[in-house]
Amino acid sequence: IDLHLHTIFSDGSQNPEYILKNAGQLGLRWISITDHDSIGAYEKLNQKGLTDHFSGGIIPGCEFSVVHDKMPLEVLGYGFDLQMIRDSGLISDEWFLERENQYIDRMKAICRNLGIKLTDSLSIQSGKAFATQVIHEDLRKYPDNKKFFSEELWNNVNAFYRTCINNEESPFYLNQTKDYPTIKEVSDLIRKAGGKSFLAHLYGYFIDDYESFLDSLISHGALDGLECYHSLHNMDQTEFLLNYCNKNNLFSSGGSDYHGALKPTVFMGES
């Protein structure tokens, strides 16, 4: 089983056909393609003959960008009606590109003020790469920029995003709360479309008290479950999440968060 997979329809490097073929070769029985704010892969899957590459089950999925208490998060939606999600207007490739290019322009101005070098013409022309990924990759092309960052921030795009872009005290801070729906709004939509919502990769967020954070989310009735198995999680963390689900009557899920080239040490079917 692998219920967290990305394709070229967001920031993955492989097409849906590759995902199905590889899943079949690995002997996976259930998968879900969960592209960021996109269900475009499922239109590809509807092409005649494509699903012949995989004899297992495919659960419709998506990794939605949301906000909770001013903090950007990701929620995995599963088992929903694709047309209802499409008709909701929540997902838009055009709006995604506009939003992320606005973020790039704002971050370029921040970097100029700090003396950090970036490529002047930097922008996202197509696809669904996030502004943070594009900026982080580009600034690392200039060795002189390294003096502005810790080793962790220089080498880890997730750390850069969670502790700089999402941190109100950081000069890189971007207020994304006005651009993202709340976790409750997205979970309500997922449920209305017949699906269930799961918090993605708890330990990918930089939080002081994970249990209190989960309690806050649960108090809003915004989640049906937690992603307990994930490539970022160690055994103790997975055990904590499984126990939390049991105590709070939540479902548990698991997935690799496979992206291909973006995360070369993360492999399909491993979490």
Side-chain angles (χ1 to χ4, degrees):
I1 184 171
D2 194 336
L3 303 183
H4 195 158
L5 301 164
H6 294 273
T7 74
I8 56 173
F9 286 89
S10 61
D11 54 350
S13 60
Q14 302 292 350
N15 60 39
E17 183 176 9
Y18 173 89
I19 296 294
L20 294 188
K21 286 182 177 179
N22 202 30
Q25 291 168 1
L26 290 170
L28 297 178
R29 297 175 64 184
W30 288 93
I31 65 169
S32 182
I33 293 174
T34 52
D35 281 313
H36 293 283
D37 302 317
S38 173
I39 52 176
Y42 291 99
E43 296 177 1
K44 183 77 171 176
L45 291 178
N46 283 333
Q47 293 182 7
K48 185 177 180 180
L50 192 54
T51 53
D52 292 343
H53 298 297
F54 180 62
S55 60
I58 302 173
I59 301 172
C62 180
E63 187 168 12
F64 295 90
S65 300
V66 303
V67 66
H68 174 68
D69 287 346
K70 299 183 178 180
M71 181 179 177
L73 304 168
E74 289 81 53
V75 165
L76 293 160
Y78 294 120
F80 48 73
D81 182 270
L82 290 164
Q83 191 61 48
M84 288 185 68
I85 296 296
R86 195 176 290 115
D87 291 345
S88 74
L90 182 66
I91 293 174
S92 165
D93 291 345
E94 293 77 14
W95 165 234
F96 183 95
L97 278 175
E98 180 182 348
R99 180 190 72 198
E100 295 303 312
N101 276 313
Q102 287 175 359
Y103 289 162
I104 284 180
D105 289 340
R106 287 156 62 182
M107 282 192 273
K108 285 196 292 189
I110 291 169
C111 287
R112 281 195 296 268
N113 290 336
L114 295 174
I116 297 172
K117 296 179 182 178
L118 283 177
T119 303
D120 288 337
S121 59
L122 199 63
S123 67
I124 305 170
Q125 298 300 320
S126 61
K128 280 206 164 184
F130 285 95
T132 302
Q133 296 167 340
V134 174
I135 289 287
H136 190 262
E137 180 181 8
D138 190 73
L139 64 84
R140 294 175 74 243
K141 294 177 181 177
Y142 303 94
D144 288 347
N145 288 338
K146 193 169 184 179
K147 63 178 177 285
F148 294 99
F149 302 94
S150 69
E151 197 70 21
E152 182 181 28
L153 295 178
W154 181 256
N155 291 315
N156 188 324
V157 65
N158 185 57
F160 177 68
Y161 176 63
R162 304 294 179 189
T163 65
C164 293
I165 305 301
N166 293 347
N167 181 2
E168 289 182 292
E169 298 180 0
S170 168
F172 292 98
Y173 173 68
L174 292 177
N175 184 0
Q176 299 166 289
T177 58
K178 62 182 177 59
D179 298 323
Y180 289 168
T182 67
I183 189 170
K184 188 68 167 62
E185 289 170 336
V186 168
S187 65
D188 285 348
L189 172 62
I190 292 168
R191 288 166 178 164
K192 184 178 179 181
K196 297 190 182 302
S197 58
F198 291 68
L199 178 69
H201 45 58
L202 174 67
Y203 293 97
Y205 310 116
F206 287 67
I207 300 168
D208 292 329
D209 187 337
Y210 287 104
E211 187 164 10
S212 295
F213 177 70
L214 288 177
D215 290 342
S216 172
L217 291 173
I218 298 304
S219 70
H220 287 77
L223 292 172
D224 299 298
L226 304 176
E227 184 178 43
C228 299
Y229 297 92
H230 185 273
S231 52
L232 278 175
H233 298 172
N234 61 39
M235 290 180 65
D236 289 339
Q237 292 167 340
T238 297
E239 189 68 24
F240 165 78
L241 289 169
L242 289 171
N243 288 334
Y244 190 93
C245 287
N246 287 334
K247 286 189 290 187
N248 292 277
N249 198 30
L250 297 170
F251 294 102
S252 60
S253 71
S256 62
D257 203 359
Y258 175 80
H259 282 71
L262 183 65
K263 297 182 179 181
T265 62
V266 175
F267 303 98
M268 281 183 63
E270 297 183 6
S271 57

